[in-house]
Amino acid sequence: MMKKITLVAVLLGSAVVAVPATAAPLLYNFTATAANQPNFTFNIDSTPASFNTGPFSFMVNVQNYTVNGAPASATPGFTFYTPADGGGFNSPTASYFGQQLFSGTLVAPTLLTGNFTLFSNNSLSTALGTLSVTSAVPEPATWAMMLVGFGMIGATARYRRRATKIAYA
């Protein structure tokens, strides 16, 4: 009986704590090397919902867009390009060319992480700055669920069956 109660409690607890999976947000940080270019940051999910897809590009909305440390007044859409159209992306401040910043298709892209040098034109002659793309740290709730799971595995491995004796009258 105790096993059934414990099982029901664990199932109810996991149903309450469980949340739907979402794509991990990526943090973009552009550091300008050219004097006339601003520094800016923004966030995008690693598998964003793209729109306005063209033959060589797609557009996504960004979150937490800041320019030179100040929040931007509007959250713009950024256009990402394939190598056939110069790679890189277009922001409200300028167009930045270089490596392709995503894998997959234009309809279902997966954004890449790493450091990318971006240029002012397709000839890749004038460097404007470096784009650093990193994934965010998991939320504390994610870490807590992982630790609870490890604890449950450890408790299960440690559990020993008690010997039962049958007595006849």
Side-chain angles (χ1 to χ4, degrees):
M1 182 66 177
M2 187 63 172
K3 285 183 186 179
K4 288 182 182 178
I5 292 172
T6 304
L7 179 63
V8 169
V10 168
L11 290 175
L12 286 175
S14 64
V16 170
V17 174
V19 293
T22 58
L26 296 178
L27 310 173
Y28 283 71
N29 184 13
F30 179 78
T31 304
T33 55
N36 61 345
Q37 292 298 311
N39 295 323
F40 57 87
T41 62
F42 59 91
N43 299 350
I44 304 178
D45 286 338
S46 60
T47 53
S50 62
F51 60 93
N52 288 349
T53 57
F56 304 111
S57 65
F58 67 90
M59 184 176 271
V60 296
N61 286 322
V62 303
Q63 299 91 31
N64 304 323
Y65 180 56
T66 64
V67 178
N68 291 329
S73 59
T75 303
F78 278 50
T79 303
F80 285 77
Y81 300 109
T82 64
D85 206 22
F89 67 92
N90 185 28
S91 77
T93 56
S95 292
Y96 300 92
F97 299 96
Q99 296 172 298
Q100 181 172 316
L101 303 174
F102 65 94
S103 63
T105 65
L106 294 173
V107 178
T110 300
L111 299 173
L112 303 175
T113 59
N115 292 315
F116 307 94
T117 300
L118 299 176
F119 300 88
S120 64
N121 55 29
N122 285 352
S123 66
L124 307 180
S125 59
T126 306
L128 294 179
T130 303
L131 179 68
S132 174
V133 184
T134 57
S135 60
V137 176
E139 294 181 10
T142 303
W143 285 103
M145 283 178 46
M146 182 181 70
L147 292 174
V148 167
F150 285 143
M152 292 175 77
I153 290 170
T156 302
R158 188 173 172 166
Y159 175 76
R160 288 184 271 160
R161 287 194 177 266
R162 293 186 174 92
T164 57
K165 294 184 180 181
I166 300 174
Y168 295 101

